[in-house]
PDB file of all heavy atoms in Angstrom:
ATOM      1  N   ASP A  50      92.695 116.085 104.799  1.00  0.00           N
ATOM      2  CA  ASP A  50      93.151 117.420 104.425  1.00  0.00           C
ATOM      3  C   ASP A  50      93.722 117.442 103.008  1.00  0.00           C
ATOM      4  O   ASP A  50      93.740 118.476 102.352  1.00  0.00           O
ATOM      5  CB  ASP A  50      94.244 117.910 105.389  1.00  0.00           C
ATOM      6  CG  ASP A  50      93.681 118.174 106.772  1.00  0.00           C
ATOM      7  OD1 ASP A  50      92.448 118.140 106.909  1.00  0.00           O
ATOM      8  OD2 ASP A  50      94.476 118.399 107.700  1.00  0.00           O
ATOM      9  N   HIS A  51      94.249 116.284 102.575  1.00  0.00           N
ATOM     10  CA  HIS A  51      94.890 116.235 101.254  1.00  0.00           C
ATOM     11  C   HIS A  51      93.950 115.705 100.174  1.00  0.00           C
ATOM     12  O   HIS A  51      94.185 115.905  98.996  1.00  0.00           O
ATOM     13  CB  HIS A  51      96.142 115.345 101.316  1.00  0.00           C
ATOM     14  CG  HIS A  51      97.188 115.866 102.262  1.00  0.00           C
ATOM     15  ND1 HIS A  51      98.136 116.780 101.881  1.00  0.00           N
ATOM     16  CD2 HIS A  51      97.422 115.619 103.572  1.00  0.00           C
ATOM     17  CE1 HIS A  51      98.924 117.066 102.915  1.00  0.00           C
ATOM     18  NE2 HIS A  51      98.504 116.372 103.950  1.00  0.00           N
ATOM     19  N   GLU A  52      92.890 115.010 100.594  1.00  0.00           N
ATOM     20  CA  GLU A  52      92.002 114.336  99.640  1.00  0.00           C
ATOM     21  C   GLU A  52      91.470 115.252  98.528  1.00  0.00           C
ATOM     22  O   GLU A  52      91.490 114.858  97.361  1.00  0.00           O
ATOM     23  CB  GLU A  52      90.843 113.648 100.377  1.00  0.00           C
ATOM     24  CG  GLU A  52      89.899 112.968  99.394  1.00  0.00           C
ATOM     25  CD  GLU A  52      89.160 111.783  99.978  1.00  0.00           C
ATOM     26  OE1 GLU A  52      89.041 111.703 101.211  1.00  0.00           O
ATOM     27  OE2 GLU A  52      88.698 110.944  99.169  1.00  0.00           O
ATOM     28  N   PRO A  53      91.022 116.483  98.850  1.00  0.00           N
ATOM     29  CA  PRO A  53      90.478 117.325  97.770  1.00  0.00           C
ATOM     30  C   PRO A  53      91.491 117.590  96.664  1.00  0.00           C
ATOM     31  O   PRO A  53      91.116 117.905  95.537  1.00  0.00           O
ATOM     32  CB  PRO A  53      90.127 118.643  98.472  1.00  0.00           C
ATOM     33  CG  PRO A  53      90.105 118.342  99.926  1.00  0.00           C
ATOM     34  CD  PRO A  53      90.957 117.144 100.158  1.00  0.00           C
ATOM     35  N   TYR A  54      92.787 117.457  96.959  1.00  0.00           N
ATOM     36  CA  TYR A  54      93.827 117.751  95.963  1.00  0.00           C
ATOM     37  C   TYR A  54      94.299 116.483  95.254  1.00  0.00           C
ATOM     38  O   TYR A  54      95.153 116.531  94.386  1.00  0.00           O
ATOM     39  CB  TYR A  54      95.019 118.454  96.639  1.00  0.00           C
ATOM     40  CG  TYR A  54      94.574 119.682  97.407  1.00  0.00           C
ATOM     41  CD1 TYR A  54      94.295 119.613  98.768  1.00  0.00           C
ATOM     42  CD2 TYR A  54      94.387 120.897  96.742  1.00  0.00           C
ATOM     43  CE1 TYR A  54      93.858 120.731  99.464  1.00  0.00           C
ATOM     44  CE2 TYR A  54      93.940 122.019  97.426  1.00  0.00           C
ATOM     45  CZ  TYR A  54      93.679 121.930  98.787  1.00  0.00           C
ATOM     46  OH  TYR A  54      93.227 123.020  99.468  1.00  0.00           O
ATOM     47  N   GLY A  55      93.809 115.321  95.676  1.00  0.00           N
ATOM     48  CA  GLY A  55      94.154 114.056  95.028  1.00  0.00           C
ATOM     49  C   GLY A  55      95.586 113.624  95.267  1.00  0.00           C
ATOM     50  O   GLY A  55      96.114 112.773  94.562  1.00  0.00           O
ATOM     51  N   GLY A  56      96.248 114.190  96.252  1.00  0.00           N
ATOM     52  CA  GLY A  56      97.631 113.820  96.567  1.00  0.00           C
ATOM     53  C   GLY A  56      98.118 114.685  97.711  1.00  0.00           C
ATOM     54  O   GLY A  56      97.395 115.584  98.163  1.00  0.00           O
ATOM     55  N   ILE A  57      99.365 114.424  98.143  1.00  0.00           N
ATOM     56  CA  ILE A  57      99.874 115.171  99.300  1.00  0.00           C
ATOM     57  C   ILE A  57     100.358 116.557  98.875  1.00  0.00           C
ATOM     58  O   ILE A  57     101.145 116.684  97.933  1.00  0.00           O
ATOM     59  CB  ILE A  57     101.001 114.370  99.978  1.00  0.00           C
ATOM     60  CG1 ILE A  57     100.381 113.120 100.609  1.00  0.00           C
ATOM     61  CG2 ILE A  57     101.716 115.195 101.041  1.00  0.00           C
ATOM     62  CD1 ILE A  57     101.350 112.019 100.870  1.00  0.00           C
ATOM     63  N   VAL A  58      99.884 117.571  99.573  1.00  0.00           N
ATOM     64  CA  VAL A  58     100.312 118.948  99.309  1.00  0.00           C
ATOM     65  C   VAL A  58     101.369 119.301 100.362  1.00  0.00           C
ATOM     66  O   VAL A  58     101.068 119.344 101.555  1.00  0.00           O
ATOM     67  CB  VAL A  58      99.118 119.932  99.409  1.00  0.00           C
ATOM     68  CG1 VAL A  58      99.554 121.349  99.071  1.00  0.00           C
ATOM     69  CG2 VAL A  58      97.973 119.472  98.505  1.00  0.00           C
ATOM     70  N   PRO A  59     102.629 119.501  99.944  1.00  0.00           N
ATOM     71  CA  PRO A  59     103.718 119.700 100.916  1.00  0.00           C
ATOM     72  C   PRO A  59     103.442 120.783 101.952  1.00  0.00           C
ATOM     73  O   PRO A  59     103.716 120.595 103.135  1.00  0.00           O
ATOM     74  CB  PRO A  59     104.915 120.056 100.033  1.00  0.00           C
ATOM     75  CG  PRO A  59     104.621 119.401  98.731  1.00  0.00           C
ATOM     76  CD  PRO A  59     103.136 119.469  98.550  1.00  0.00           C
ATOM     77  N   GLU A  60     102.895 121.927 101.522  1.00  0.00           N
ATOM     78  CA  GLU A  60     102.646 123.023 102.487  1.00  0.00           C
ATOM     79  C   GLU A  60     101.640 122.608 103.552  1.00  0.00           C
ATOM     80  O   GLU A  60     101.794 122.941 104.729  1.00  0.00           O
ATOM     81  CB  GLU A  60     102.117 124.283 101.768  1.00  0.00           C
ATOM     82  CG  GLU A  60     103.176 125.088 101.043  1.00  0.00           C
ATOM     83  CD  GLU A  60     103.664 124.388  99.786  1.00  0.00           C
ATOM     84  OE1 GLU A  60     102.960 123.484  99.272  1.00  0.00           O
ATOM     85  OE2 GLU A  60     104.771 124.729  99.318  1.00  0.00           O
ATOM     86  N   ILE A  61     100.614 121.879 103.129  1.00  0.00           N
ATOM     87  CA  ILE A  61      99.600 121.438 104.103  1.00  0.00           C
ATOM     88  C   ILE A  61     100.246 120.442 105.076  1.00  0.00           C
ATOM     89  O   ILE A  61     100.014 120.486 106.286  1.00  0.00           O
ATOM     90  CB  ILE A  61      98.382 120.797 103.382  1.00  0.00           C
ATOM     91  CG1 ILE A  61      97.684 121.845 102.531  1.00  0.00           C
ATOM     92  CG2 ILE A  61      97.418 120.175 104.394  1.00  0.00           C
ATOM     93  CD1 ILE A  61      96.472 121.336 101.765  1.00  0.00           C
ATOM     94  N   ALA A  62     101.099 119.569 104.542  1.00  0.00           N
ATOM     95  CA  ALA A  62     101.774 118.579 105.401  1.00  0.00           C
ATOM     96  C   ALA A  62     102.609 119.292 106.458  1.00  0.00           C
ATOM     97  O   ALA A  62     102.511 118.984 107.655  1.00  0.00           O
ATOM     98  CB  ALA A  62     102.657 117.662 104.546  1.00  0.00           C
ATOM     99  N   SER A  63     103.416 120.281 106.046  1.00  0.00           N
ATOM    100  CA  SER A  63     104.282 120.994 107.009  1.00  0.00           C
ATOM    101  C   SER A  63     103.442 121.675 108.068  1.00  0.00           C
ATOM    102  O   SER A  63     103.733 121.602 109.259  1.00  0.00           O
ATOM    103  CB  SER A  63     105.123 122.065 106.315  1.00  0.00           C
ATOM    104  OG  SER A  63     105.782 121.512 105.224  1.00  0.00           O
ATOM    105  N   ARG A  64     102.393 122.355 107.632  1.00  0.00           N
ATOM    106  CA  ARG A  64     101.554 123.088 108.583  1.00  0.00           C
ATOM    107  C   ARG A  64     100.919 122.142 109.591  1.00  0.00           C
ATOM    108  O   ARG A  64     100.876 122.415 110.788  1.00  0.00           O
ATOM    109  CB  ARG A  64     100.478 123.871 107.832  1.00  0.00           C
ATOM    110  CG  ARG A  64     100.460 125.324 108.237  1.00  0.00           C
ATOM    111  CD  ARG A  64      99.502 126.136 107.406  1.00  0.00           C
ATOM    112  NE  ARG A  64      99.866 126.204 106.002  1.00  0.00           N
ATOM    113  CZ  ARG A  64      98.976 126.136 105.003  1.00  0.00           C
ATOM    114  NH1 ARG A  64      97.702 125.974 105.250  1.00  0.00           N
ATOM    115  NH2 ARG A  64      99.378 126.237 103.767  1.00  0.00           N
ATOM    116  N   ASN A  65     100.454 120.995 109.101  1.00  0.00           N
ATOM    117  CA  ASN A  65      99.851 120.021 110.024  1.00  0.00           C
ATOM    118  C   ASN A  65     100.861 119.506 111.041  1.00  0.00           C
ATOM    119  O   ASN A  65     100.522 119.309 112.207  1.00  0.00           O
ATOM    120  CB  ASN A  65      99.263 118.839 109.239  1.00  0.00           C
ATOM    121  CG  ASN A  65      97.884 119.168 108.695  1.00  0.00           C
ATOM    122  OD1 ASN A  65      97.144 119.943 109.310  1.00  0.00           O
ATOM    123  ND2 ASN A  65      97.540 118.600 107.569  1.00  0.00           N
TER     124      ASN A  65
END
Side-chain angles (χ1 to χ4, degrees):
D50 291 351
H51 298 273
E52 179 153 21
Y54 306 95
I57 292 159
V58 183
E60 283 72 19
I61 296 180
S63 309
R64 232 174 296 140
N65 278 329

